[in-house]
Amino acid sequence: MAKVFKKTSKSGGLTLCLGKRDYVDHMSKVDQVDGVVKLDTSEFGSRKVFVQLACAFRYGSDDLDVMGLCFRKDIWIHQVQIYPESHKPTLTDMHNTLMKKCGDNSYPFSFEIPNNLPCSISLQPGPEDKGKSCGVDFEVKAYLANDKCNPDETIDKKDTARLIIRKIQYAPAQVGAGPKADICKGFMMSDKPVHLEASLEKDLYFHGENIPIKIKINNETNKTVKKFSITVEQTTDIVLYSADKYSKPVFNQEFGETVDPNSTYESTLSITPVLAENKEKRGLALDGRLKDEDTNLASTTMLRPGVEKDVLGILVSYKIKINLMVAGGGLLGGLTSR
């Protein structure tokens, strides 16, 4: 049986209904947003019913609004009037299902999400943080008003019904060759260097999928490689309102394998970065979170040719670092495999 997501205004006059809350960005197009609003028009008077879809960037807590500061920036917004009827979309199977479940006085609506908009991303709040998290979100809102876009008109909260939806990144079916990186470093009191090479099988991995890393070490020095570590870093670049860019580790593990002088090491090690092990890290980028539902580490931002980065709000990328600890020689680092 199909699930229906509902939100009713406090006045009881509007009930917003959607058949799903995740809408996939397929790169060429985005899933259409189809829904209905069930109306009780007994107290509407001359007011009209509008439905709005907005993509916005939230960069502060609701408390700032009390101080007269703006904490929300609209990236894209579109409204349609459904009562009295002026917006009559082509009915889809989703519309028919929702109208059947909601009964009489149900009015359909549709929105096309432009494919140049960012995907839903939220920045993980800290344990003590309250209110809505920072990030990019999409909101469907049904409301009563006299005019479609009158900035001087106050919309009563009791005559408003809202549902947050997510625009999520589609992973391409075709994957490319995996990245490869190598480094060569010498040490004092040793004529020859240490060679480190790392590579991945492919360039795309799904949430929760093991990532096998092929590692080759050729130790030509007279020193022993005592151990090495693998770190995965998430880099978040907030491009909409500032040049705020930072990296946070989402996986780190040490391996105790040693590589003796004038010997080699070769192995494939699997790692799996997951959100469950990073729940306390404030500012970590996550796929947009819906209330009472879990999510994942944010997907890598897929950049389309010709799309301005500023419109995307938040850019997310990942890199793998491998560090060797050499006895008496310090740290051999700086290898980055993207």
Side-chain angles (χ1 to χ4, degrees):
M1 183 177 292
K3 187 174 182 179
V4 178
F5 298 93
K6 293 183 178 181
K7 191 62 178 285
T8 302
S9 63
K10 290 183 178 180
S11 66
L14 307 171
T15 299
L16 174 62
C17 302
L18 296 173
K20 62 179 184 178
R21 297 181 76 178
D22 285 346
Y23 296 85
V24 180
D25 182 348
H26 298 275
M27 300 296 285
S28 60
K29 65 181 182 66
V30 184
D31 290 348
Q32 182 171 287
V33 180
D34 295 328
V36 303
V37 182
K38 184 176 176 63
L39 305 180
D40 178 358
T41 62
S42 58
E43 297 183 4
F44 286 6
S46 61
R47 292 178 296 173
K48 307 176 183 69
V49 179
F50 300 93
V51 183
Q52 170 184 292
L53 175 60
C55 171
F57 181 70
R58 181 183 296 276
Y59 50 92
S61 68
D62 292 1
D63 296 338
L64 294 176
D65 195 42
V66 177
M67 300 163 58
L69 301 175
C70 179
F71 61 90
R72 180 182 174 93
K73 179 179 177 64
D74 289 327
I75 300 173
W76 177 86
I77 190 168
H78 187 65
Q79 298 117 332
V80 295
Q81 179 182 320
I82 62 168
Y83 178 84
E85 282 187 307
S86 65
H87 168 77
K88 295 184 178 180
T90 301
L91 294 182
T92 64
D93 291 341
M94 179 65 76
H95 284 133
N96 293 328
T97 299
L98 292 173
M99 292 172 74
K100 184 177 180 180
K101 286 181 174 290
C102 295
D104 296 336
N105 294 322
S106 296
Y107 292 78
F109 64 87
S110 291
F111 290 106
E112 296 280 354
I113 302 177
N115 63 359
N116 65 338
L117 293 180
C119 289
S120 299
I121 293 180
S122 62
L123 301 182
Q124 181 164 262
E128 304 301 321
D129 293 340
K130 297 180 181 179
K132 295 181 179 179
S133 59
C134 297
V136 176
D137 63 37
F138 287 79
E139 180 187 73
V140 181
K141 178 174 76 172
Y143 61 97
L144 277 172
N146 290 307
D147 297 301
K148 183 177 182 180
C149 300
N150 184 355
D152 296 325
E153 184 176 4
T154 301
I155 308 300
D156 199 322
K157 288 186 177 181
K158 70 181 179 64
D159 293 322
T160 301
R162 307 168 183 261
L163 281 173
I164 296 294
I165 63 173
R166 292 193 299 188
K167 177 175 175 280
I168 57 178
Q169 181 66 64
Y170 168 75
Q174 293 182 337
V175 297
K180 180 180 178 181
D182 61 78
I183 189 173
C184 179
K185 185 170 182 179
F187 297 92
M188 292 181 62
M189 310 300 292
S190 181
D191 295 335
K192 295 183 178 180
V194 175
H195 298 269
L196 170 61
E197 180 184 299
S199 60
L200 302 179
E201 295 176 350
K202 54 183 182 176
D203 64 349
L204 185 147
Y205 291 87
F206 296 96
H207 294 295
E209 181 180 1
N210 286 342
I211 304 175
I213 306 173
K214 189 174 184 179
I215 298 174
K216 294 181 181 180
I217 302 172
N218 182 10
N219 183 13
E220 297 181 325
T221 71
N222 55 9
K223 303 178 184 296
T224 300
V225 176
K226 297 191 299 181
K227 59 183 178 180
F228 60 88
S229 67
I230 298 178
T231 303
V232 180
E233 287 187 352
Q234 179 195 78
T235 299
T236 303
D237 188 0
I238 303 176
V239 297
L240 186 66
Y241 73 98
S242 72
D244 191 2
K245 185 175 183 178
Y246 57 89
S247 295
K248 290 182 178 291
V250 294
F251 179 90
N252 181 263
Q253 184 174 345
E254 283 194 352
F255 298 85
E257 286 86 346
T258 60
V259 186
D260 294 327
N262 299 306
S263 62
T264 60
Y265 170 89
E266 184 172 336
S267 183
T268 299
L269 303 171
S270 291
I271 64 171
T272 311
V274 291
L275 176 58
E277 298 175 2
N278 295 278
K279 291 283 191 179
E280 303 299 318
K281 292 181 180 176
R282 187 176 187 270
L284 203 63
L286 314 177
D287 279 341
R289 172 172 282 169
L290 301 176
K291 188 177 180 181
D292 301 326
E293 292 188 21
D294 207 355
T295 185
N296 304 293
L297 295 170
S299 301
T300 300
T301 304
M302 308 286 280
L303 294 174
R304 295 181 181 83
V307 175
E308 294 290 335
K309 288 185 177 181
D310 291 359
V311 178
L312 297 178
I314 300 176
L315 306 180
V316 178
S317 61
Y318 293 88
K319 60 185 176 183
I320 296 173
K321 288 185 175 181
I322 301 172
N323 289 321
L324 302 187
M325 293 297 297
V326 180
L331 179 69
L332 170 59
L335 171 65
T336 301
S337 179
R338 293 182 181 273

Coordinates of all heavy atoms in Angstrom, one line a residue, residues 207-250:
H207 N 27.0 4.5 -0.7 CA 26.9 4.6 0.7 C 27.0 3.1 1.3 O 26.2 2.3 0.9 CB 25.7 5.3 1.2 CG 25.6 6.7 0.8 ND1 26.5 7.6 1.3 CD2 24.8 7.4 0.0 CE1 26.2 8.8 0.8 NE2 25.2 8.7 0.0
G208 N 27.9 2.9 2.3 CA 28.0 1.6 2.9 C 28.8 0.6 2.2 O 29.0 -0.5 2.7
E209 N 29.2 0.9 1.0 CA 30.0 -0.1 0.2 C 31.5 -0.1 0.6 O 32.1 1.0 0.9 CB 29.9 0.3 -1.3 CG 30.7 -0.6 -2.2 CD 30.6 -0.2 -3.7 OE1 29.9 0.8 -4.0 OE2 31.1 -0.9 -4.5
N210 N 32.1 -1.3 0.7 CA 33.5 -1.4 1.0 C 34.3 -0.7 -0.1 O 34.0 -0.9 -1.3 CB 33.9 -2.8 1.2 CG 33.4 -3.4 2.5 OD1 33.0 -2.7 3.4 ND2 33.4 -4.8 2.6
I211 N 35.4 -0.1 0.3 CA 36.3 0.6 -0.6 C 37.6 -0.2 -0.5 O 38.4 0.1 0.4 CB 36.5 2.1 -0.3 CG1 35.1 2.8 -0.3 CG2 37.4 2.7 -1.3 CD1 35.2 4.2 0.1
P212 N 38.0 -1.0 -1.5 CA 39.3 -1.7 -1.4 C 40.4 -0.8 -1.9 O 40.2 -0.2 -3.0 CB 39.1 -2.9 -2.4 CG 37.6 -2.9 -2.8 CD 37.1 -1.5 -2.6
I213 N 41.4 -0.7 -1.2 CA 42.6 0.2 -1.6 C 43.8 -0.8 -1.7 O 44.2 -1.5 -0.8 CB 42.9 1.2 -0.5 CG1 41.7 2.0 -0.2 CG2 44.0 2.1 -0.9 CD1 41.9 3.0 1.0
K214 N 44.3 -0.7 -2.9 CA 45.5 -1.5 -3.2 C 46.8 -0.7 -2.9 O 47.0 0.4 -3.4 CB 45.6 -1.9 -4.7 CG 46.7 -2.9 -5.0 CD 46.6 -3.4 -6.5 CE 47.6 -4.5 -6.8 NZ 47.5 -4.9 -8.2
I215 N 47.6 -1.2 -2.0 CA 48.8 -0.5 -1.5 C 50.0 -1.3 -1.8 O 50.1 -2.5 -1.6 CB 48.7 -0.3 0.1 CG1 47.4 0.5 0.4 CG2 49.9 0.3 0.6 CD1 47.2 0.7 1.9
K216 N 51.0 -0.6 -2.4 CA 52.3 -1.2 -2.6 C 53.4 -0.3 -2.0 O 53.4 0.9 -2.1 CB 52.6 -1.2 -4.1 CG 51.7 -2.1 -4.9 CD 52.0 -2.1 -6.4 CE 51.1 -3.0 -7.2 NZ 51.5 -3.0 -8.7
I217 N 54.3 -0.9 -1.2 CA 55.4 -0.2 -0.5 C 56.7 -0.9 -0.9 O 56.8 -2.1 -0.8 CB 55.2 -0.2 1.0 CG1 53.9 0.4 1.4 CG2 56.4 0.5 1.6 CD1 53.6 0.2 2.9
N218 N 57.6 -0.1 -1.5 CA 58.9 -0.6 -1.8 C 59.9 0.1 -0.9 O 60.2 1.3 -1.2 CB 59.2 -0.4 -3.3 CG 60.6 -1.0 -3.7 OD1 61.2 -1.7 -2.9 ND2 61.1 -0.7 -4.8
N219 N 60.4 -0.5 0.1 CA 61.3 0.1 1.1 C 62.7 -0.2 0.8 O 63.3 -1.2 1.1 CB 60.9 -0.4 2.5 CG 61.8 0.3 3.6 OD1 62.4 1.3 3.3 ND2 61.8 -0.2 4.8
E220 N 63.4 0.8 0.1 CA 64.8 0.6 -0.3 C 65.8 1.2 0.7 O 67.0 1.2 0.5 CB 65.0 1.2 -1.7 CG 64.2 0.5 -2.8 CD 64.5 1.2 -4.2 OE1 64.7 2.4 -4.2 OE2 64.5 0.4 -5.2
T221 N 65.2 1.7 1.8 CA 66.1 2.4 2.8 C 66.6 1.3 3.8 O 66.3 0.1 3.7 CB 65.3 3.4 3.6 OG1 64.4 2.8 4.4 CG2 64.5 4.3 2.6
N222 N 67.4 1.9 4.7 CA 67.9 1.0 5.8 C 67.1 1.2 7.0 O 67.5 0.8 8.1 CB 69.4 1.3 6.1 CG 69.6 2.8 6.4 OD1 68.7 3.5 6.6 ND2 70.9 3.2 6.5
K223 N 65.9 1.7 6.9 CA 65.0 1.9 8.0 C 63.8 1.0 7.9 O 63.4 0.6 6.8 CB 64.6 3.4 8.1 CG 65.7 4.4 8.2 CD 65.3 5.8 8.2 CE 66.5 6.8 8.2 NZ 67.2 6.6 9.4
T224 N 63.1 0.8 9.0 CA 61.9 -0.1 9.0 C 60.6 0.8 9.0 O 60.5 1.8 9.8 CB 61.9 -0.9 10.3 OG1 63.0 -1.8 10.2 CG2 60.6 -1.8 10.3
V225 N 59.7 0.4 8.1 CA 58.4 1.1 8.2 C 57.6 0.3 9.3 O 57.3 -0.9 9.2 CB 57.6 0.9 6.8 CG1 56.2 1.5 6.9 CG2 58.4 1.6 5.7
K226 N 57.3 1.1 10.4 CA 56.7 0.4 11.5 C 55.2 0.2 11.4 O 54.7 -0.8 11.9 CB 56.9 1.3 12.8 CG 58.4 1.5 13.1 CD 58.5 2.2 14.5 CE 57.8 3.6 14.5 NZ 58.0 4.2 15.8
K227 N 54.5 1.1 10.7 CA 53.1 1.0 10.6 C 52.6 2.0 9.6 O 53.4 2.9 9.1 CB 52.3 1.2 11.9 CG 52.6 2.5 12.5 CD 51.9 2.7 13.9 CE 52.2 4.0 14.5 NZ 51.6 4.2 15.8
F228 N 51.3 1.9 9.2 CA 50.8 3.0 8.3 C 49.3 3.2 8.7 O 48.7 2.3 9.3 CB 51.0 2.7 6.8 CG 50.3 1.4 6.4 CD1 49.0 1.4 5.9 CD2 51.1 0.2 6.4 CE1 48.4 0.2 5.5 CE2 50.5 -0.9 5.9 CZ 49.2 -1.0 5.5
S229 N 48.8 4.4 8.3 CA 47.4 4.7 8.6 C 46.7 5.1 7.3 O 47.3 5.6 6.4 CB 47.3 5.8 9.7 OG 47.8 7.0 9.1
I230 N 45.4 4.8 7.3 CA 44.5 5.3 6.2 C 43.4 6.2 6.8 O 42.8 5.9 7.8 CB 43.8 4.1 5.5 CG1 44.9 3.2 4.9 CG2 42.9 4.6 4.4 CD1 44.3 1.9 4.2
T231 N 43.3 7.4 6.2 CA 42.4 8.4 6.6 C 41.5 8.8 5.4 O 42.0 9.0 4.3 CB 43.1 9.6 7.2 OG1 43.9 9.2 8.3 CG2 42.0 10.6 7.7
V232 N 40.2 8.9 5.7 CA 39.3 9.5 4.6 C 38.8 10.8 5.2 O 38.3 10.9 6.3 CB 38.1 8.6 4.4 CG1 37.2 9.2 3.3 CG2 38.6 7.2 3.9
E233 N 39.0 11.9 4.4 CA 38.6 13.2 4.8 C 37.4 13.7 3.9 O 37.5 13.5 2.7 CB 39.7 14.2 4.7 CG 40.8 14.0 5.7 CD 41.8 15.1 5.7 OE1 41.8 15.9 4.7 OE2 42.7 15.2 6.6
Q234 N 36.5 14.3 4.5 CA 35.4 15.0 3.8 C 35.7 16.5 3.8 O 35.9 17.1 4.8 CB 34.0 14.8 4.5 CG 32.9 15.4 3.8 CD 31.6 15.5 4.7 OE1 31.6 16.4 5.6 NE2 30.7 14.7 4.5
T235 N 35.7 17.0 2.6 CA 35.9 18.5 2.4 C 34.6 19.2 2.1 O 34.0 18.8 1.1 CB 37.0 18.8 1.3 OG1 38.2 18.2 1.7 CG2 37.2 20.3 1.2
T236 N 34.3 20.1 2.9 CA 33.0 20.9 2.7 C 33.4 22.3 2.3 O 34.1 23.0 3.0 CB 32.2 20.9 4.0 OG1 31.9 19.5 4.3 CG2 30.8 21.6 3.7
D237 N 32.9 22.8 1.2 CA 33.1 24.1 0.7 C 31.8 24.9 0.6 O 31.0 24.6 -0.3 CB 33.8 24.0 -0.7 CG 34.3 25.4 -1.2 OD1 34.1 26.4 -0.5 OD2 34.9 25.4 -2.3
I238 N 31.6 25.8 1.5 CA 30.4 26.6 1.5 C 30.6 27.8 0.7 O 31.2 28.8 1.1 CB 30.0 27.0 3.0 CG1 29.9 25.7 3.8 CG2 28.7 27.8 3.0 CD1 29.6 26.0 5.3
V239 N 30.1 27.8 -0.6 CA 30.4 28.8 -1.6 C 29.3 29.8 -1.7 O 29.5 30.8 -2.4 CB 30.6 28.1 -2.9 CG1 31.8 27.2 -2.9 CG2 29.4 27.3 -3.4
L240 N 28.2 29.6 -1.1 CA 27.1 30.5 -1.3 C 27.3 31.9 -0.7 O 27.0 33.0 -1.3 CB 25.7 29.9 -0.8 CG 24.5 30.7 -1.1 CD1 24.2 30.7 -2.6 CD2 23.3 30.1 -0.4
Y241 N 27.7 32.0 0.6 CA 27.8 33.2 1.3 C 29.2 33.6 1.8 O 29.4 34.7 2.2 CB 26.8 33.2 2.5 CG 27.3 32.4 3.6 CD1 27.9 33.0 4.7 CD2 27.1 31.0 3.7 CE1 28.4 32.2 5.8 CE2 27.5 30.3 4.7 CZ 28.1 30.9 5.8 OH 28.5 30.1 6.9
S242 N 30.1 32.7 1.7 CA 31.5 33.0 2.1 C 32.5 32.0 1.5 O 32.0 31.0 0.9 CB 31.6 32.9 3.7 OG 31.5 31.6 4.1
A243 N 33.7 32.2 1.7 CA 34.7 31.2 1.3 C 35.1 30.3 2.4 O 36.3 30.1 2.8 CB 36.0 32.0 0.8
D244 N 34.1 29.7 3.0 CA 34.3 28.8 4.2 C 34.6 27.4 3.7 O 33.7 26.8 3.2 CB 33.1 28.9 5.1 CG 33.4 28.2 6.4 OD1 34.5 27.7 6.6 OD2 32.4 28.1 7.3
K245 N 35.8 26.9 3.8 CA 36.1 25.6 3.4 C 36.9 24.9 4.5 O 37.9 25.4 5.0 CB 37.0 25.7 2.1 CG 37.3 24.3 1.5 CD 38.1 24.6 0.1 CE 38.4 23.2 -0.6 NZ 39.1 23.4 -1.9
Y246 N 36.5 23.6 4.8 CA 37.1 22.9 5.9 C 37.0 21.4 5.6 O 36.2 20.9 4.8 CB 36.5 23.2 7.2 CG 35.0 23.0 7.3 CD1 34.6 21.7 7.7 CD2 34.1 24.0 7.0 CE1 33.2 21.5 7.8 CE2 32.7 23.7 7.1 CZ 32.3 22.5 7.5 OH 31.0 22.2 7.6
S247 N 37.9 20.6 6.2 CA 38.0 19.2 6.1 C 37.8 18.5 7.4 O 38.3 19.0 8.4 CB 39.3 18.7 5.4 OG 39.4 19.2 4.1
K248 N 37.1 17.4 7.4 CA 36.9 16.6 8.7 C 37.2 15.1 8.4 O 36.6 14.7 7.4 CB 35.5 16.8 9.3 CG 35.3 18.2 9.8 CD 33.9 18.4 10.5 CE 33.8 19.7 11.1 NZ 34.6 19.9 12.3
P249 N 37.9 14.4 9.2 CA 38.1 13.0 9.0 C 36.8 12.2 9.2 O 36.1 12.5 10.2 CB 39.1 12.6 10.0 CG 39.1 13.6 11.1 CD 38.6 14.9 10.4
V250 N 36.4 11.3 8.4 CA 35.2 10.5 8.6 C 35.6 9.0 8.7 O 34.8 8.1 9.0 CB 34.2 10.6 7.4 CG1 33.7 12.0 7.4 CG2 34.9 10.3 6.1

